[in-house]
Amino acid sequence: MLRMIFTTLLLGCCGVCGTAFAQAAGSGQAQQLPIVQITAGMHLIKAEVARTFEQRQIGLMHRPSLPQGEGMLFVFEEANPQCFWMKNTLIPLSIAFVADDGTVLNLADMQPLSERSKCSAKPVRYALEMNQGWFAKRGIKPGSKLRGGPWPP
């Protein structure tokens, strides 16, 4: 009986958490995340930092636009193959998968509302999303170095 009560309470709590998460994800409101400045060559990036599972899950969902020179840095606890998709994301984005030393390993363009995954070529802890074409227009490609944020100066 006690086990049944505990299970009911646990499921009830998870339902509340899930509802709050869904409301945050569907609200159209940008998350309030810490900002870090990153440089890519002579280009400055103002990136929101998504560190927690919930922050990474919401990412840039439901936003109608992303200001030029701004992006989102996804930080994972450990290096693994990382894959991203664009469900509920309205902005066309480019993503850079980045090694621990700030080296861009690979890049991918992602289309709004697509459920097609784009993955890192190797295990990484970092991914940086920017407006689509941002990296290409600035000559940032695999092998380029990012500085600032979590990377060495």
Side-chain angles (χ1 to χ4, degrees), residues 35-49 66-73 94 96 98 104 127-131 134-135 138 140 145-149 151:
I35 304 290
V36 66
Q37 292 208 7
I38 298 168
T39 57
M42 61 183 229
H43 307 285
L44 183 63
I45 301 165
K46 181 179 162 186
E48 297 176 56
V49 181
L66 182 64
Q68 286 301 314
E70 294 187 18
M72 184 169 285
L73 177 66
S94 293
V98 186
V104 174
L128 177 62
E129 288 181 342
M130 300 291 290
N131 281 308
W134 190 93
F135 298 108
R138 287 153 184 85
I140 310 299
K145 288 277 194 169
L146 302 181
R147 305 266 188 237
W151 302 292

Side-chain angles (χ1 to χ4, degrees), residues 73-74 76 80-85 94-110 117-129 135 140-144 146 151:
L73 177 66
F74 294 83
F76 297 88
N80 283 305
Q82 305 296 345
C83 293
F84 286 70
W85 65 344
S94 293
I95 188 166
F97 295 100
V98 186
D100 281 352
D101 68 352
T103 302
V104 174
L105 296 178
N106 65 297
L107 296 155
D109 286 338
M110 301 186 297
S117 291
K118 301 291 182 158
C119 301
S120 60
K122 294 181 182 179
V124 295
R125 290 184 27 198
Y126 305 103
L128 177 62
E129 288 181 342
F135 298 108
I140 310 299
K141 53 190 172 204
S144 296
L146 302 181
W151 302 292

